[in-house]
Amino acid sequence: MPRNRYQTDEPTSRRMAAVGLRDTKPERVVRSVLTAIGLRYRLHRRDLPGRPDVVLASRRLVLFVHGCFWHRHPGCPRTTTPCRNAALWQVKFRRTLERDARATEALRAAGWKVLVVWECETTNRPELSRRLQSFLNRGA
Ligand SMILES: [Zn+2]
């Protein structure tokens, strides 16, 4: 998969390169499920902490679509740690998690509800749809 297959602005490209996210398919699945539910959303609002992947402003909800490996999905088989340079990877992972935690905290402090959708959860579309709808109903 070519790295810049999808048109993104420069900061997004840099961010994607920084986190090693080569494939935005999980995000596309989430967007398509939201569209199927009939929701309007905005993407990557740069004025919000952590630049959430999806913003449902009228409901004050944001979604992050996280890669399991980089964002360390707990208990997930994709959350592996490479043997080579393990210490270096741990530093990178810790920075990513700290960044995620800061963004979530800032968003919640500003009154946003925050949902994380894990990459591995986007392979089961019906289940993802149920989960998103339940989150949206709670947040309504
Ligand atoms: Zn996972």
Side-chain angles (χ1 to χ4, degrees):
M1 189 74 63
R3 178 164 284 224
N4 285 319
R5 182 170 161 195
Y6 304 101
Q7 204 180 356
T8 52
D9 53 27
E10 191 48 37
T12 302
S13 298
R14 271 204 307 275
R15 184 174 62 98
M16 286 170 73
V19 301
L21 184 62
R22 289 157 195 270
D23 184 6
T24 59
K25 186 164 183 290
E27 253 185 65
R28 288 206 314 275
V29 174
V30 169
R31 294 205 296 266
S32 125
V33 167
L34 288 171
T35 302
I37 298 172
L39 288 163
R40 295 173 65 95
Y41 51 82
R42 283 186 57 191
L43 303 175
H44 303 293
R45 262 181 55 177
R46 61 186 66 217
D47 54 324
L48 290 177
R51 298 189 62 201
D53 296 305
V54 176
V55 178
L56 297 148
S58 61
R59 291 158 178 260
R60 206 114 179 122
L61 304 174
V62 299
L63 267 71
F64 287 97
V65 184
H66 277 349
C68 299
F69 174 78
W70 282 103
H71 295 268
R72 312 312 281 166
H73 186 193
C76 179
R78 299 183 190 198
T79 308
T80 55
T81 301
C83 296
R84 276 176 65 88
N85 303 317
L88 208 62
W89 283 102
Q90 294 298 353
V91 171
K92 284 173 193 254
F93 292 144
R94 198 177 61 239
R95 284 192 190 134
T96 302
L97 294 192
E98 283 168 0
R99 214 163 41 233
D100 291 347
R102 273 198 304 275
T104 300
E105 203 175 308
L107 285 161
R108 288 192 172 136
W112 292 88
K113 293 190 175 64
V114 180
L115 179 70
V116 170
V117 175
W118 295 100
E119 167 194 13
C120 65
E121 293 171 335
T122 62
T123 56
N124 184 339
R125 202 187 145 102
E127 180 56 38
L128 176 66
S129 179
R130 274 193 293 276
R131 181 157 178 244
L132 288 177
Q133 294 197 56
S134 130
F135 176 70
L136 292 163
N137 291 339
R138 278 202 314 276

PDB file of all heavy atoms in Angstrom, residues 10-11 20 22 28 38 53 58 62 71 73 78 96 101 113 123 125-126 133 140:
ATOM      1  N   GLU A  10      -0.409  18.533   4.855  1.00  0.00           N
ATOM      2  CA  GLU A  10       0.980  18.249   5.217  1.00  0.00           C
ATOM      3  C   GLU A  10       1.138  17.754   6.673  1.00  0.00           C
ATOM      4  O   GLU A  10       1.797  16.745   6.890  1.00  0.00           O
ATOM      5  CB  GLU A  10       1.837  19.486   4.932  1.00  0.00           C
ATOM      6  CG  GLU A  10       3.326  19.235   5.012  1.00  0.00           C
ATOM      7  CD  GLU A  10       3.781  17.997   4.241  1.00  0.00           C
ATOM      8  OE1 GLU A  10       3.223  17.730   3.155  1.00  0.00           O
ATOM      9  OE2 GLU A  10       4.676  17.288   4.742  1.00  0.00           O
ATOM     10  N   PRO A  11       0.508  18.447   7.656  1.00  0.00           N
ATOM     11  CA  PRO A  11       0.673  17.957   9.038  1.00  0.00           C
ATOM     12  C   PRO A  11       0.163  16.525   9.203  1.00  0.00           C
ATOM     13  O   PRO A  11       0.762  15.729   9.913  1.00  0.00           O
ATOM     14  CB  PRO A  11      -0.170  18.935   9.858  1.00  0.00           C
ATOM     15  CG  PRO A  11      -0.277  20.150   9.020  1.00  0.00           C
ATOM     16  CD  PRO A  11      -0.262  19.672   7.588  1.00  0.00           C
ATOM     17  N   GLY A  20       3.676   5.746  11.613  1.00  0.00           N
ATOM     18  CA  GLY A  20       3.828   4.557  10.782  1.00  0.00           C
ATOM     19  C   GLY A  20       2.514   4.031  10.254  1.00  0.00           C
ATOM     20  O   GLY A  20       2.395   2.861   9.911  1.00  0.00           O
ATOM     21  N   ARG A  22       0.268   3.346   7.573  1.00  0.00           N
ATOM     22  CA  ARG A  22       0.369   3.301   6.118  1.00  0.00           C
ATOM     23  C   ARG A  22      -0.993   3.155   5.459  1.00  0.00           C
ATOM     24  O   ARG A  22      -1.185   3.501   4.326  1.00  0.00           O
ATOM     25  CB  ARG A  22       1.215   2.105   5.682  1.00  0.00           C
ATOM     26  CG  ARG A  22       2.665   2.249   5.995  1.00  0.00           C
ATOM     27  CD  ARG A  22       3.305   0.870   6.057  1.00  0.00           C
ATOM     28  NE  ARG A  22       4.599   0.963   6.705  1.00  0.00           N
ATOM     29  CZ  ARG A  22       5.716   1.178   6.046  1.00  0.00           C
ATOM     30  NH1 ARG A  22       5.710   1.303   4.757  1.00  0.00           N
ATOM     31  NH2 ARG A  22       6.864   1.276   6.688  1.00  0.00           N
ATOM     32  N   ARG A  28     -11.621   4.431   7.060  1.00  0.00           N
ATOM     33  CA  ARG A  28     -12.630   4.417   5.995  1.00  0.00           C
ATOM     34  C   ARG A  28     -13.829   3.583   6.402  1.00  0.00           C
ATOM     35  O   ARG A  28     -14.970   3.956   6.132  1.00  0.00           O
ATOM     36  CB  ARG A  28     -12.029   3.853   4.689  1.00  0.00           C
ATOM     37  CG  ARG A  28     -11.057   4.793   4.016  1.00  0.00           C
ATOM     38  CD  ARG A  28     -10.983   4.543   2.511  1.00  0.00           C
ATOM     39  NE  ARG A  28     -10.871   3.137   2.149  1.00  0.00           N
ATOM     40  CZ  ARG A  28      -9.723   2.462   2.105  1.00  0.00           C
ATOM     41  NH1 ARG A  28      -8.592   3.073   2.410  1.00  0.00           N
ATOM     42  NH2 ARG A  28      -9.701   1.200   1.773  1.00  0.00           N
ATOM     43  N   GLY A  38     -26.341   7.371   9.132  1.00  0.00           N
ATOM     44  CA  GLY A  38     -26.975   8.635   8.752  1.00  0.00           C
ATOM     45  C   GLY A  38     -26.427   9.837   9.491  1.00  0.00           C
ATOM     46  O   GLY A  38     -27.138  10.811   9.721  1.00  0.00           O
ATOM     47  N   ASP A  53      -9.994  11.700  14.700  1.00  0.00           N
ATOM     48  CA  ASP A  53     -10.205  11.234  13.335  1.00  0.00           C
ATOM     49  C   ASP A  53     -11.593  11.595  12.817  1.00  0.00           C
ATOM     50  O   ASP A  53     -11.760  11.885  11.640  1.00  0.00           O
ATOM     51  CB  ASP A  53      -9.995   9.721  13.275  1.00  0.00           C
ATOM     52  CG  ASP A  53      -8.559   9.363  13.602  1.00  0.00           C
ATOM     53  OD1 ASP A  53      -7.666   9.908  12.937  1.00  0.00           O
ATOM     54  OD2 ASP A  53      -8.325   8.585  14.536  1.00  0.00           O
ATOM     55  N   SER A  58     -22.258  18.308  16.533  1.00  0.00           N
ATOM     56  CA  SER A  58     -23.587  18.603  17.078  1.00  0.00           C
ATOM     57  C   SER A  58     -23.856  17.752  18.318  1.00  0.00           C
ATOM     58  O   SER A  58     -24.627  18.136  19.186  1.00  0.00           O
ATOM     59  CB  SER A  58     -24.652  18.358  16.021  1.00  0.00           C
ATOM     60  OG  SER A  58     -24.630  17.002  15.634  1.00  0.00           O
ATOM     61  N   VAL A  62     -16.294  12.823  19.791  1.00  0.00           N
ATOM     62  CA  VAL A  62     -15.163  12.610  18.888  1.00  0.00           C
ATOM     63  C   VAL A  62     -14.775  11.136  18.907  1.00  0.00           C
ATOM     64  O   VAL A  62     -14.963  10.438  19.898  1.00  0.00           O
ATOM     65  CB  VAL A  62     -13.924  13.456  19.263  1.00  0.00           C
ATOM     66  CG1 VAL A  62     -14.233  14.939  19.189  1.00  0.00           C
ATOM     67  CG2 VAL A  62     -13.386  13.076  20.623  1.00  0.00           C
ATOM     68  N   HIS A  71      -0.931   2.122  19.129  1.00  0.00           N
ATOM     69  CA  HIS A  71      -1.630   2.686  20.296  1.00  0.00           C
ATOM     70  C   HIS A  71      -1.828   1.643  21.386  1.00  0.00           C
ATOM     71  O   HIS A  71      -2.498   1.906  22.376  1.00  0.00           O
ATOM     72  CB  HIS A  71      -2.950   3.321  19.853  1.00  0.00           C
ATOM     73  CG  HIS A  71      -2.750   4.507  18.951  1.00  0.00           C
ATOM     74  ND1 HIS A  71      -2.670   5.812  19.416  1.00  0.00           N
ATOM     75  CD2 HIS A  71      -2.570   4.591  17.614  1.00  0.00           C
ATOM     76  CE1 HIS A  71      -2.463   6.624  18.405  1.00  0.00           C
ATOM     77  NE2 HIS A  71      -2.401   5.912  17.289  1.00  0.00           N
ATOM     78  N   HIS A  73      -3.317  -1.539  21.862  1.00  0.00           N
ATOM     79  CA  HIS A  73      -4.617  -2.076  22.253  1.00  0.00           C
ATOM     80  C   HIS A  73      -4.408  -3.188  23.286  1.00  0.00           C
ATOM     81  O   HIS A  73      -3.811  -4.218  22.983  1.00  0.00           O
ATOM     82  CB  HIS A  73      -5.310  -2.630  20.993  1.00  0.00           C
ATOM     83  CG  HIS A  73      -6.709  -3.082  21.221  1.00  0.00           C
ATOM     84  ND1 HIS A  73      -7.405  -3.829  20.299  1.00  0.00           N
ATOM     85  CD2 HIS A  73      -7.553  -2.874  22.264  1.00  0.00           C
ATOM     86  CE1 HIS A  73      -8.614  -4.081  20.771  1.00  0.00           C
ATOM     87  NE2 HIS A  73      -8.731  -3.517  21.947  1.00  0.00           N
ATOM     88  N   ARG A  78      -2.486  -8.017  17.971  1.00  0.00           N
ATOM     89  CA  ARG A  78      -1.698  -7.117  17.115  1.00  0.00           C
ATOM     90  C   ARG A  78      -0.742  -6.253  17.932  1.00  0.00           C
ATOM     91  O   ARG A  78       0.112  -5.570  17.379  1.00  0.00           O
ATOM     92  CB  ARG A  78      -2.627  -6.190  16.318  1.00  0.00           C
ATOM     93  CG  ARG A  78      -3.558  -6.963  15.410  1.00  0.00           C
ATOM     94  CD  ARG A  78      -4.395  -6.010  14.590  1.00  0.00           C
ATOM     95  NE  ARG A  78      -5.453  -6.734  13.887  1.00  0.00           N
ATOM     96  CZ  ARG A  78      -6.122  -6.263  12.847  1.00  0.00           C
ATOM     97  NH1 ARG A  78      -5.845  -5.067  12.381  1.00  0.00           N
ATOM     98  NH2 ARG A  78      -7.070  -6.964  12.276  1.00  0.00           N
ATOM     99  N   THR A  96       3.435   7.725  22.454  1.00  0.00           N
ATOM    100  CA  THR A  96       2.130   7.690  21.775  1.00  0.00           C
ATOM    101  C   THR A  96       1.011   7.631  22.803  1.00  0.00           C
ATOM    102  O   THR A  96       0.023   8.381  22.719  1.00  0.00           O
ATOM    103  CB  THR A  96       2.047   6.462  20.837  1.00  0.00           C
ATOM    104  OG1 THR A  96       3.116   6.543  19.903  1.00  0.00           O
ATOM    105  CG2 THR A  96       0.720   6.416  20.098  1.00  0.00           C
ATOM    106  N   ALA A 101      -3.377  10.066  25.941  1.00  0.00           N
ATOM    107  CA  ALA A 101      -3.984  10.369  27.245  1.00  0.00           C
ATOM    108  C   ALA A 101      -4.185  11.876  27.407  1.00  0.00           C
ATOM    109  O   ALA A 101      -5.237  12.322  27.879  1.00  0.00           O
ATOM    110  CB  ALA A 101      -3.102   9.822  28.367  1.00  0.00           C
ATOM    111  N   LYS A 113     -17.227  13.990  24.482  1.00  0.00           N
ATOM    112  CA  LYS A 113     -17.188  12.560  24.761  1.00  0.00           C
ATOM    113  C   LYS A 113     -16.232  11.930  23.758  1.00  0.00           C
ATOM    114  O   LYS A 113     -16.213  12.316  22.598  1.00  0.00           O
ATOM    115  CB  LYS A 113     -18.570  11.939  24.632  1.00  0.00           C
ATOM    116  CG  LYS A 113     -19.526  12.424  25.707  1.00  0.00           C
ATOM    117  CD  LYS A 113     -20.801  11.607  25.709  1.00  0.00           C
ATOM    118  CE  LYS A 113     -21.689  12.023  26.862  1.00  0.00           C
ATOM    119  NZ  LYS A 113     -22.137  13.432  26.730  1.00  0.00           N
ATOM    120  N   THR A 123     -12.913  -4.799  11.514  1.00  0.00           N
ATOM    121  CA  THR A 123     -13.043  -5.928  10.595  1.00  0.00           C
ATOM    122  C   THR A 123     -14.428  -6.571  10.724  1.00  0.00           C
ATOM    123  O   THR A 123     -14.838  -7.312   9.849  1.00  0.00           O
ATOM    124  CB  THR A 123     -11.960  -7.001  10.882  1.00  0.00           C
ATOM    125  OG1 THR A 123     -12.070  -7.396  12.244  1.00  0.00           O
ATOM    126  CG2 THR A 123     -10.562  -6.447  10.646  1.00  0.00           C
ATOM    127  N   ARG A 125     -17.924  -5.392  10.722  1.00  0.00           N
ATOM    128  CA  ARG A 125     -18.724  -4.213  10.465  1.00  0.00           C
ATOM    129  C   ARG A 125     -20.045  -4.174  11.241  1.00  0.00           C
ATOM    130  O   ARG A 125     -20.378  -3.137  11.830  1.00  0.00           O
ATOM    131  CB  ARG A 125     -18.957  -4.108   8.953  1.00  0.00           C
ATOM    132  CG  ARG A 125     -19.297  -2.731   8.482  1.00  0.00           C
ATOM    133  CD  ARG A 125     -19.686  -2.752   7.017  1.00  0.00           C
ATOM    134  NE  ARG A 125     -20.714  -1.771   6.799  1.00  0.00           N
ATOM    135  CZ  ARG A 125     -20.492  -0.576   6.256  1.00  0.00           C
ATOM    136  NH1 ARG A 125     -19.302  -0.273   5.832  1.00  0.00           N
ATOM    137  NH2 ARG A 125     -21.458   0.288   6.138  1.00  0.00           N
ATOM    138  N   PRO A 126     -20.808  -5.265  11.291  1.00  0.00           N
ATOM    139  CA  PRO A 126     -22.066  -5.231  12.061  1.00  0.00           C
ATOM    140  C   PRO A 126     -21.825  -4.929  13.539  1.00  0.00           C
ATOM    141  O   PRO A 126     -22.548  -4.137  14.151  1.00  0.00           O
ATOM    142  CB  PRO A 126     -22.640  -6.648  11.886  1.00  0.00           C
ATOM    143  CG  PRO A 126     -21.999  -7.184  10.653  1.00  0.00           C
ATOM    144  CD  PRO A 126     -20.639  -6.555  10.575  1.00  0.00           C
ATOM    145  N   GLN A 133     -23.480   2.838  17.405  1.00  0.00           N
ATOM    146  CA  GLN A 133     -24.834   3.304  17.691  1.00  0.00           C
ATOM    147  C   GLN A 133     -25.095   3.372  19.184  1.00  0.00           C
ATOM    148  O   GLN A 133     -25.739   4.311  19.663  1.00  0.00           O
ATOM    149  CB  GLN A 133     -25.853   2.396  17.007  1.00  0.00           C
ATOM    150  CG  GLN A 133     -25.745   2.507  15.505  1.00  0.00           C
ATOM    151  CD  GLN A 133     -26.962   1.971  14.787  1.00  0.00           C
ATOM    152  OE1 GLN A 133     -28.073   2.409  15.054  1.00  0.00           O
ATOM    153  NE2 GLN A 133     -26.750   1.029  13.879  1.00  0.00           N
ATOM    154  N   ALA A 140     -26.295  11.002  23.218  1.00  0.00           N
ATOM    155  CA  ALA A 140     -27.308  11.919  22.683  1.00  0.00           C
ATOM    156  C   ALA A 140     -27.983  12.708  23.796  1.00  0.00           C
ATOM    157  O   ALA A 140     -27.928  12.332  24.939  1.00  0.00           O
ATOM    158  CB  ALA A 140     -28.346  11.133  21.900  1.00  0.00           C
TER     159      ALA A 140
END
